Amino acid sequence: MIVGPELRAWTADIRLQRGTRTAADRVAREWTAGPVHHRFSEKMAGLPERRAETVARAVVELFADDAWVDTLIGVLAEAMRRDSFFEPPFRHLDSDIHSGLIVFEDDNVSIAAGVSGVAHLAAKKSASRHATSIAFSGQVGVLKFVKAGGARLSFWEAPLITDRFTAATAGRCRKTGFRALADGEILTVDGRFQSFVIDRAETDLVILQATVKPDQAPLSVEYDARTHEYVGCAAADDSASRIQMIATLLRKLDGEGAFEAIAGFLGHPHFFVRWHLMRELLGLDAEAALPHLKRMAARDPHPETRRAARSVLDRIEAPARASGRRRKAA
Amino acid sequence: MHPTHEMIRMAVEDLPELETEVAISGSCKQQEVGGAICLGIAAGIAVYIAA
């Protein structure tokens, strides 16, 4: 790394660093107290119900006015002009082709403003020597293409991702259509069964992107872009993955109260979380886990979880049955 | 849990997995060319698993 004189001066001077942080804090404060953030908050607080469709409709109304994007970019650009070490005080939302900032977030929605680079898009498409996927996010999304970049999108559908999802019944995805986008166009994409591909674009796209939080599917699902066959799935919600990781950590640490803490999550809505927790409980104390295992084998709503629990139960009960038979024979 | 009785522990790695393998949030098996995930996900643990 070559350190230029400006960076050398900044890293050596705590006052300069404080100045950078103060500027970021000021922008954050002004944005949070400002009219756009206030409008988003009010709209979400006033929703009659916490349902995906209701939130998505409210976002479509909010996205009708996008003049604030220019204002926000202006504020950030001005702060960067004053201080080249200024960083926008928003969480980043980045991928291979997209750079965004999350400008609003509450229990109902997260809203990001960002740019999809046409050069990155082209590079990604031409460099795709490996197998590629069309992803279904499991979340309802609202996208406003403030600048559509002359893009053409294709639209895709797959079987609805539900709490009973299985790989065996995932089916295939199919293209339902394609069309060119116009500047300012708003799309609602229900990622529980819909997706899209940016087939081509002429210039960068400026996109407002809302991710709706209520009624998410448990999983995001991938289909092969060439064969349209099911490829795999992942937890749609990071809290599910965190619960799984913490449960494994608790089992490995074997601390006091670990069993009870893990068992407290056995009613989790996602089938794969429930089975993960059951495995950890059996690893901690199989005898104490047995009543939970029996309940899961008999009543879990997901067929694979029931089947896995049944198979462990059979394994546990088989020696007991054999020993009973031996006692009877004696 | 500190044992108050003789606990029987099963080896977790010997227990069956579900037939539907579920990866950690934010991960993908193949490179994605379509979907909102291409634009990044608002909250997640960014783990990329190459095919």
Side-chain angles (χ1 to χ4, degrees):
Chain A
M1 182 181 176
I2 299 168
V3 178
E6 278 189 351
L7 178 57
R8 200 189 311 275
W10 188 83
T11 50
D13 191 337
I14 191 76
R15 282 171 308 172
L16 290 176
Q17 294 167 29
R18 280 196 191 124
T20 302
R21 274 200 299 275
T22 304
D25 288 346
R26 190 177 54 246
V27 169
R29 257 197 324 274
E30 285 172 3
W31 172 254
T32 308
V36 177
H37 199 279
H38 186 68
R39 196 162 69 240
F40 289 174
S41 296
E42 289 273 287
K43 190 79 175 174
M44 291 302 142
L47 292 177
E49 54 180 1
R50 199 169 174 270
R51 299 207 41 207
E53 292 74 13
T54 313
V55 176
R57 271 198 300 273
V59 171
V60 169
E61 288 172 24
L62 286 172
F63 278 3
D65 172 18
D66 60 25
W68 58 270
V69 179
D70 283 342
T71 310
L72 179 64
I73 290 170
V75 167
L76 297 178
E78 180 55 31
M80 284 174 184
R81 251 194 302 276
R82 279 201 218 116
D83 178 354
S84 49
F85 299 101
F86 173 86
E87 282 197 35
F90 301 109
R91 276 202 299 142
H92 292 219
L93 182 72
D94 292 330
S95 73
D96 293 348
I97 61 163
H98 190 80
S99 293
L101 298 171
I102 299 175
V103 296
F104 178 83
E105 184 152 36
D106 70 359
D107 289 344
N108 287 316
V109 70
S110 71
I111 295 175
V115 176
S116 284
V118 69
H120 294 113
L121 196 63
K124 181 161 182 165
K125 284 187 184 295
S126 61
S128 292
R129 289 186 207 97
H130 298 294
T132 53
S133 296
I134 294 163
F136 291 74
S137 68
Q139 301 161 329
V140 175
V142 182
L143 299 149
K144 177 162 188 178
F145 295 86
V146 178
K147 290 189 173 36
R152 193 188 82 164
L153 265 60
S154 57
F155 299 95
W156 297 77
E157 287 190 7
L160 186 68
I161 308 166
T162 69
D163 292 338
R164 310 281 173 97
F165 177 89
T166 68
T169 58
R172 307 173 80 210
C173 71
R174 65 188 180 90
K175 191 191 274 194
T176 56
F178 60 87
R179 66 185 170 81
L181 283 179
D183 283 352
E185 197 163 331
I186 298 175
L187 293 180
T188 300
V189 180
D190 187 339
R192 296 170 296 189
F193 73 102
Q194 293 175 320
S195 187
F196 64 91
V197 176
I198 303 173
D199 288 335
R200 58 179 167 76
E202 289 156 13
T203 58
D204 292 351
L205 291 84
V206 178
I207 304 173
L208 300 182
Q209 180 190 358
T211 304
V212 172
K213 295 185 181 178
D215 303 326
Q216 291 185 359
L219 304 162
S220 62
V221 179
E222 277 178 77
Y223 291 87
D224 187 272
R226 191 177 56 82
T227 66
H228 307 165
E229 299 281 357
Y230 171 77
V231 170
C233 64
D237 175 1
D238 71 319
S239 73
S241 299
R242 286 177 200 276
I243 290 170
Q244 288 178 274
M245 286 191 286
I246 290 167
T248 300
L249 184 67
L250 285 174
R251 193 247 311 161
K252 284 181 183 283
L253 293 173
D254 196 19
E256 194 172 351
F259 187 95
E260 291 74 14
I262 297 172
F265 283 92
L266 276 175
H268 195 278
H270 299 349
F271 67 96
F272 55 94
V273 176
R274 293 195 296 275
W275 180 242
H276 183 97
L277 299 179
M278 180 53 72
R279 283 162 53 92
E280 302 300 347
L281 291 178
L282 290 164
L284 273 171
D285 185 342
E287 199 178 342
L290 196 58
H292 300 293
L293 185 69
K294 284 181 176 170
R295 250 194 314 276
M296 189 174 267
R299 294 209 294 265
D300 192 276
H302 196 281
E304 288 188 14
T305 310
R306 275 200 310 275
R307 208 153 45 233
R310 184 72 252 169
S311 118
V312 177
L313 206 51
D314 287 347
R315 200 189 298 176
I316 293 169
E317 287 174 345
R321 276 199 297 269
S323 135
R325 276 199 299 275
R326 274 198 299 278
R327 272 203 302 276
K328 221 172 182 178
Chain B
M1 177 191 281
H2 290 301
T4 52
H5 62 276
E6 194 58 41
M7 291 194 297
I8 303 160
R9 297 167 190 266
M10 300 183 84
V12 172
E13 55 274 20
D14 292 342
L15 294 171
E17 299 271 9
L18 298 176
E19 293 115 70
T20 301
E21 188 186 322
V22 179
I24 196 165
S25 167
S27 61
C28 37
K29 284 199 164 183
Q30 299 183 166
Q31 191 178 38
E32 285 151 317
V33 292
I37 291 171
C38 270
L39 304 181
I41 45 176
I45 306 160
V47 178
Y48 188 84
I49 300 169

